[in-house]
Amino acid sequence: MSVNVVSINVNGVRAAFRKGMADWVAEHRPQIVALQEVRAETKDLVELFATTDAAYGDGGHWHVLHDAATAKGRAGVAVLSRVAPVAHRTTLGPDDFDSAGRWLEADFVFDGKPLTVISTYVHSGEVDTPKQVEKYKFLEAMQARMAELIATGSDVVLVGDLNVGHTELDIKNWKGNLKNAGFLPEERAYFDNIIHKQGWVDVGRAAHPDVPGPYTWWSFRGQAFDTDAGWRIDYHLATPGLAAKAHNYRVHRAASYDTRWTDHSPVSVDYDL
């Protein structure tokens, strides 16, 4: 059985639906949708995604898991699915660590085969500020949890806006960002550990080895989208067994600047369980 998993930083789900996200969902009919930067209430997600039910033609509905941020109108992650999850978790790191709105694990079973999908939204950070300190705290907690997950041998995929370009291939203007949050050596070292030491597979890079991009985020400012001056910061990181069953990796880049409904692109992968 093949399961389609899509990750999307929606930059505010209500705004995204106003700009055309419903049409995209209806056209592509993903089975699991992981969202970041929801910035809305659970009832908003239920109502918005219900408008796409008819496109599936199965009489079913969306099952909605949502973890809002502590600060209202900020962050927020969700996992929506056409089959009901069997369990979910939102805790990450030490008890005093506030990961609300940034980490959501959802467990599914498809034809007897378990699958865990994690939607995560890493802090954007800002050099030499408390924001960067919080980003490192989150990356540390994420790294520790990923070590636990891969040790289980289960099929797990972590998706989301991780706000770090791992290598020079992941940012168009990497030389100009060596001292900026998102491409700092200290940030990228976490990805070295997760991928090269723990053994997680970057499905996007495995599908496009040794080539720039494909980028997943472009600033709304200037000509970044038109000149493809982007960043690849939206990932599918899969356990090795699941990565071996991954195919059809795709970045759904909008046809033009004026047809975008978020500053990110949906990133989808099919997993054969």
Side-chain angles (χ1 to χ4, degrees), residues 1-211:
M1 178 179 184
S2 185
V3 178
N4 178 248
V5 179
V6 178
S7 178
I8 316 171
N9 180 318
V10 290
N11 196 20
V13 70
R14 288 170 296 189
F17 267 77
R18 285 197 302 271
K19 296 174 183 177
M21 182 176 173
D23 293 336
W24 186 91
V25 173
E27 177 184 354
H28 295 282
R29 297 190 297 175
Q31 291 159 285
I32 299 177
V33 178
L35 303 180
Q36 303 88 44
E37 280 202 272
V38 173
R39 303 207 302 262
E41 305 292 334
T42 301
K43 66 180 181 64
D44 296 315
L45 285 169
V46 172
E47 293 170 0
L48 291 169
F49 274 82
T51 65
T52 70
D53 281 337
Y56 285 80
D58 57 5
H61 67 277
W62 288 98
H63 299 268
V64 180
L65 296 174
H66 175 223
D67 189 43
T70 302
K72 191 171 182 178
R74 300 278 302 278
V77 289
V79 175
L80 299 98
S81 55
R82 299 303 293 180
V83 300
V86 297
H88 72 279
R89 298 162 296 281
T90 57
T91 55
L92 179 72
D95 292 340
D96 61 350
F97 180 58
D98 183 9
S99 62
R102 295 185 179 274
W103 185 268
L104 175 57
E105 301 179 18
D107 299 332
F108 300 93
V109 176
F110 292 92
D111 290 345
K113 304 292 180 63
L115 172 68
T116 296
V117 177
I118 304 170
S119 180
T120 188
Y121 176 49
V122 176
H123 305 67
S124 56
E126 185 178 337
V127 175
D128 296 330
T129 73
K131 292 181 179 179
Q132 193 66 25
V133 174
E134 288 302 304
K135 184 173 188 176
Y136 286 133
K137 285 182 181 179
F138 190 91
L139 288 170
E140 190 71 28
M142 184 179 85
Q143 176 182 258
R145 178 58 179 151
M146 292 178 76
E148 295 174 350
L149 288 165
I150 200 168
T152 67
S154 303
D155 282 346
V156 183
V157 60
L158 180 147
V159 304
D161 177 3
L162 304 188
N163 265 317
V164 177
H166 182 206
T167 74
E168 295 169 4
L169 295 174
D170 297 319
I171 303 179
K172 180 71 170 285
N173 180 26
W174 65 267
K175 290 182 180 178
N177 284 285
L178 286 168
K179 296 182 179 180
N180 292 333
F183 200 59
L184 297 172
E186 296 87 349
E187 296 172 331
R188 295 157 62 197
Y190 285 97
F191 283 67
D192 288 337
N193 180 279
I194 289 166
I195 294 168
H196 300 310
K197 294 184 179 179
Q198 292 187 12
W200 289 80
V201 178
D202 180 346
V203 178
R205 183 51 63 212
H208 297 278
D210 304 321
V211 297

